[in-house]
Amino acid sequence: MSGSAEDERLRVQQLRALRRRWLRDQELSPREPVLPPRRLGTVAAFWERFLQPGGLWRQQVHKAYQTGSFVMLRVLLPAWAITYYLKYHIQKSPHGVVVTNPRIFPGDRILETGEIMPPLKEDPHGHH
């Protein structure tokens, strides 16, 4: 009976040693991971150089963005809101929202074409 317990202890000890070694092997050294060198295409290389901090083009694009956002938020949107409010809430004529055309009855002259509106057809069913 002592033989099988000794074998069991030895097996457990060997398994623990193997597990410890496996866990140590999983730790990365400062040189890892070893990756292949990056090969960038023409577009990716352009953006890599373009986006370098302190680049002239990057500063120019940033200035253009700042100017555009200022103009959009401080000039165009308020001007649009004021124009919308004046056009659709204050001003009634000549640019109001609702413009009604004059009613046209049978026998009236249509101003654009000069035609005279024909009379309505009689309803053959006789009920309304």
Side-chain angles (χ1 to χ4, degrees):
M1 183 124 169
S2 65
S4 66
E6 291 291 326
D7 290 343
E8 186 68 24
R9 257 189 244 121
L10 180 62
R11 188 168 89 50
V12 169
Q13 180 185 3
Q14 289 172 346
L15 283 175
R16 285 183 183 156
L18 284 172
R19 285 185 191 130
R20 280 192 201 106
R21 191 178 318 149
W22 184 83
L23 284 173
R24 269 187 265 125
D25 288 343
Q26 300 307 309
E27 295 174 3
L28 296 178
S29 74
R31 299 178 305 149
E32 291 180 311
V34 178
L35 299 174
R38 284 178 55 187
R39 290 189 192 146
L40 299 175
T42 54
V43 175
F46 167 77
W47 283 112
E48 187 75 25
R49 288 189 310 270
F50 182 78
L51 295 175
Q52 290 296 322
L56 178 65
W57 282 106
R58 185 173 175 170
Q59 292 173 0
Q60 295 299 324
V61 168
H62 182 69
K63 285 181 188 175
Y65 171 77
Q66 291 292 331
T67 305
S69 64
F70 176 83
V71 168
M72 178 66 83
L73 293 175
R74 307 292 169 122
V75 177
L76 294 178
L77 285 177
W80 174 80
I82 290 168
T83 304
Y84 179 87
Y85 182 75
L86 291 175
K87 182 174 180 181
Y88 295 112
H89 296 286
I90 301 295
Q91 193 175 21
K92 296 296 180 196
S93 64
H95 302 291
V97 174
V98 179
V99 176
T100 57
N101 291 329
R103 292 184 180 139
I104 299 176
F105 296 104
D108 287 350
R109 183 176 301 274
I110 299 173
L111 296 176
E112 290 85 10
T113 61
E115 298 177 48
I116 296 181
M117 192 72 182
L120 294 174
K121 294 180 182 176
E122 291 295 323
D123 190 13
H125 300 298
H127 65 281
H128 299 280

